[in-house]
Amino acid sequence: MRPQNRDLVAFLDEEVLPRLTPADVFPTVKWTTTSGRYWRGPCPIHGGDNPTAFSVDSVTKGWTCFSLCGSGSAVAFVHNPVHPTTPTGWDFVETVRKLATLAGVQFPELERTEAEVKRAEERDRRETLLRTFHAFTQETLQGSTGKSAREYLAHRGLEETAVEDLGLFPTRDAVLAALTSKGFTKDEVGASGVVHDSRWEGRLIIPWRTRRGQLGTFAARDLTGKAEEAEKYLYMTGTRKADLVAFGLDRALLRGPDHLILVE
């Protein structure tokens, strides 16, 4: 049995991405914001001049262009900076090797099975779909549709940095249209679980991340005050709250404290 740290996905998540900064992966971006979780600057893909259109998650190195280009992973961008797409087959392996070189990490020279490579591709594709969904809900929250939701958040006393990761779910039809317009099939969207429940419509979208910062699932929070207590928060199909890591653990681990205090 191969050690866990030699698995391609685990190697990328645990050994490579944490050692990289957005500047390493996206060297041509003229950053205008480098504080907080998201670094922002003009989009290097379509060459726009909007100083905040291109956003990179400093933890996962996933990117979103809010103007034209959609969302993607570090793997997709390094593979093709002009037309970022998730590479397939051994191109995926070679792109991970390039990222490892950027991070100064020795790439484990092991024979990769087709099953392992396929699993890594599928993980990258699913993460890109979830990132695209997340970005769409973020835009919705900041648009005209999100006015009442923003007022609710302000009333709760949440600061700007506390809500930058939040989104708003409009309608299932709108979400499906947004995702298919970015190249995802209806089957992929359906399998992801992001349009499975009409009760999500009009709810606040809260990303729930893994300990490594990747999008794991989402919670949909009722804003009307009319939902029963058991339905105040809804989760994607197949998600059990008991199986999730502590909310915000990825951010807490970034600070590198000697001790963590978990509170309700």
Side-chain angles (χ1 to χ4, degrees), residues 23-79:
D24 296 326
V25 182
F26 310 91
T28 61
V29 177
K30 297 180 179 178
W31 303 103
T32 57
T33 300
T34 57
S35 60
R37 181 175 190 126
Y38 296 98
W39 288 30
R40 294 180 171 86
C43 179
I45 302 168
H46 75 273
D49 56 7
N50 184 326
T52 60
F54 193 69
S55 174
V56 176
D57 186 324
S58 61
V59 179
T60 67
K61 313 312 179 291
W63 57 270
T64 294
C65 170
F66 287 104
S67 294
L68 295 171
C69 306
S71 300
S73 65
V75 171
F77 186 88
V78 170
H79 170 61

Side-chain angles (χ1 to χ4, degrees), residues 89-141:
W90 303 112
D91 286 340
F92 190 97
V93 177
E94 289 306 309
T95 304
V96 175
R97 187 194 301 274
K98 289 180 182 178
L99 285 164
T101 299
L102 286 173
V105 178
Q106 183 176 0
F107 189 82
E109 297 296 342
L110 294 172
E111 183 179 349
R112 304 291 171 183
T113 66
E114 291 187 9
E116 181 184 347
V117 175
K118 183 174 177 58
R119 183 170 73 87
E121 294 170 13
E122 291 174 346
R123 194 291 300 265
D124 197 76
R125 177 74 172 172
R126 182 176 186 275
E127 279 198 356
T128 297
L129 187 151
L130 295 182
R131 192 177 298 112
T132 304
F133 165 73
H134 182 214
F136 175 67
T137 65
Q138 287 176 301
E139 287 186 280
T140 302
L141 178 60

Side-chain angles (χ1 to χ4, degrees), residues 137-159:
T137 65
Q138 287 176 301
E139 287 186 280
T140 302
L141 178 60
Q142 297 305 319
S144 58
T145 305
K147 181 180 178 181
S148 61
R150 294 196 303 274
E151 291 173 348
Y152 167 84
L153 293 170
H155 177 71
R156 293 293 300 268
L158 295 175
E159 299 178 357

Side-chain angles (χ1 to χ4, degrees), residues 111-263:
E111 183 179 349
R112 304 291 171 183
T113 66
E114 291 187 9
E116 181 184 347
V117 175
K118 183 174 177 58
R119 183 170 73 87
E121 294 170 13
E122 291 174 346
R123 194 291 300 265
D124 197 76
R125 177 74 172 172
R126 182 176 186 275
E127 279 198 356
T128 297
L129 187 151
L130 295 182
R131 192 177 298 112
T132 304
F133 165 73
H134 182 214
F136 175 67
T137 65
Q138 287 176 301
E139 287 186 280
T140 302
L141 178 60
Q142 297 305 319
S144 58
T145 305
K147 181 180 178 181
S148 61
R150 294 196 303 274
E151 291 173 348
Y152 167 84
L153 293 170
H155 177 71
R156 293 293 300 268
L158 295 175
E159 299 178 357
E160 184 177 347
T161 54
V163 303
E164 65 175 356
D165 225 18
L166 303 181
L168 182 69
F169 195 107
T171 65
R172 286 193 293 178
D173 286 344
V175 171
L176 180 61
L179 292 176
T180 54
S181 72
K182 298 299 183 183
F184 297 101
T185 67
K186 289 184 178 180
D187 287 344
E188 285 180 310
V189 178
S192 73
V194 298
V195 293
H196 77 288
D197 194 338
S198 61
R199 294 175 299 170
W200 279 38
E201 295 184 349
R203 286 181 174 240
L204 194 69
I205 294 299
I206 306 170
W208 201 303
R209 299 178 181 274
T210 68
R211 68 187 304 273
R212 296 290 178 185
Q214 286 88 7
L215 290 169
T217 188
F218 295 91
R221 207 273 193 200
D222 174 64
L223 296 177
T224 67
K226 299 177 181 179
E228 296 183 7
E229 187 63 28
E231 296 186 351
K232 188 175 181 179
Y233 291 91
L234 300 176
Y235 301 88
M236 288 167 58
T237 299
T239 300
R240 293 196 322 148
K241 189 175 180 181
D243 295 334
L244 299 172
V245 300
F247 183 78
L249 180 62
D250 61 307
R251 292 196 179 211
L253 291 175
L254 280 177
R255 300 180 181 276
D258 294 328
H259 302 281
L260 294 178
I261 300 174
L262 183 65
V263 296

